[in-house]
Amino acid sequence: MRKKTRKAGSSLRLTMIVLVLVFICISVLLALALYALIEYIVSLFDISLRPDAYSIWIPLIGLAVSIIMGTVLSILIGIWFLRPLSELMTATRMIADGDFTVRVPERKNQWEIGEFVRGFNKMAEELNSLEILRTDFVNTFSHEFKTPIISIRGFARLLQSEHLTAEQRRTYTDTIIRESERLAAMSTNILLLTQYENTEIVSGKEEYALDEQIRQCIHLQERAWLEKEITLDGELEPVRYYGNEELISHIWSNLIANAIRFTPAGGTISVTLRRGAEGVEVTVADSGIGMEEETLQRIYDKFYKADTAGQSAGNGLGLAIVRRAVQLCGGTIAVQSRPGEGTTFTVCLPEQTM
């Protein structure tokens, strides 16, 4: 970015130098043209001038040319350079005051100034998007934490009643436990996502069996998919992979948990692992409810939950963690889904060298 800025600044200075040189050349040509015109008029009408008259005409011609070119140069500089720069300065002050909606009008034929204007508008647009995202995040974060806390408080007050049956007391206690676990999971995921978002270099890498890691992730969630009578198939090639085992385990855990959550009872889930020419490819496919296009555009947003078909479990952070973990591994993630036809996530991780 700094190189681009220096390049743009150098290009602007070069443009100004070229522009000044062009005006100097035009001034010289205009002065010669006026001098030649006077010579022609003098010869045409056979006007006799004293030798010292030329010493008077030459300064007058130079003065006239200077006035004309100075006026033209001032107008052009005012239109092409000073006005856009003034607008940029005003917009910059507005940005500093917190108004990220300001934009500088883009005009044609502004040369390098136009590049600065377009760059400024793009920066303002990105800042505005970040501000909107920050506001939405704070509002959603507050809502997600407030809801279970209110629920816990309400059921805790109900438990203070002496007229509750054993069944009611057990129901209220289960609700409090469930909401508490939800808060704990949300806190853990927020800390985990924050850690990954502030990480650029992954350490703690070692070689391990990737296929065995995926089997363990499936086994840890065995109770969830057995309760829904889901058929879970695995086609896992033996693969040795070099990477951060804890980081990568979050990818498979969240993808499998999502597949279980959004697959109805009696559905199917398949997990495949294959080694390709450029790395390993893991696919998690389910026969669940699928997603619409609008949902697909936002599945990686923090706290976003489509709440499709009443499936509101989770805290909307799992896929955000998955995407960031995949990015830290230098891999890619793709999703294919249609309503009622299930969802398929494909993760490609490049080969890592020890």
Side-chain angles (χ1 to χ4, degrees), residues 326-344:
V326 171
Q327 290 174 345
L328 289 174
C329 295
T332 59
I333 181 171
V335 57
Q336 293 180 339
S337 183
R338 295 183 64 180
E341 298 183 10
T343 302
T344 300

Side-chain angles (χ1 to χ4, degrees), residues 307-350:
D307 195 19
T308 307
Q311 300 287 343
S312 58
N315 49 49
L317 293 172
L319 289 179
I321 293 174
V322 168
R323 182 175 65 170
R324 183 55 184 161
V326 171
Q327 290 174 345
L328 289 174
C329 295
T332 59
I333 181 171
V335 57
Q336 293 180 339
S337 183
R338 295 183 64 180
E341 298 183 10
T343 302
T344 300
F345 282 93
T346 302
V347 176
C348 296
L349 300 179

Side-chain angles (χ1 to χ4, degrees), residues 79-129:
I79 295 175
W80 287 352
F81 293 97
L82 297 184
R83 184 186 299 175
L85 288 177
S86 177
E87 293 173 345
L88 275 172
M89 291 175 63
T90 302
T92 302
R93 285 193 292 268
M94 295 176 69
I95 288 285
D97 292 335
D99 183 7
F100 300 121
T101 62
V102 63
R103 300 291 185 273
V104 178
E106 297 184 17
R107 301 181 180 88
K108 296 181 179 180
N109 302 323
Q110 283 189 330
W111 299 351
E112 279 75 10
I113 291 293
E115 293 296 327
F116 281 99
V117 171
R118 283 187 288 272
F120 177 87
N121 287 338
K122 184 177 181 181
M123 177 198 70
E125 184 177 351
E126 291 295 330
L127 288 174
N128 189 46
S129 299

Side-chain angles (χ1 to χ4, degrees), residues 52-73:
D52 59 346
Y54 288 98
S55 62
I56 299 175
W57 281 108
I58 291 176
L60 291 176
I61 293 172
L63 178 61
V65 170
S66 299
I67 293 173
I68 295 172
M69 296 306 299
T71 303
V72 174
L73 182 61

Side-chain angles (χ1 to χ4, degrees), residues 132-133 136-137 140 291-306 316-317 319-320 323 335:
I132 294 173
L133 181 61
D136 290 344
F137 175 79
T140 307
M291 292 179 282
E292 298 179 351
E293 186 64 28
E294 180 182 356
T295 303
L296 286 173
Q297 299 297 324
R298 299 191 57 190
I299 56 174
Y300 300 114
D301 293 352
K302 300 173 187 176
F303 295 112
Y304 177 74
K305 293 186 290 185
L317 293 172
L319 289 179
R323 182 175 65 170
V335 57

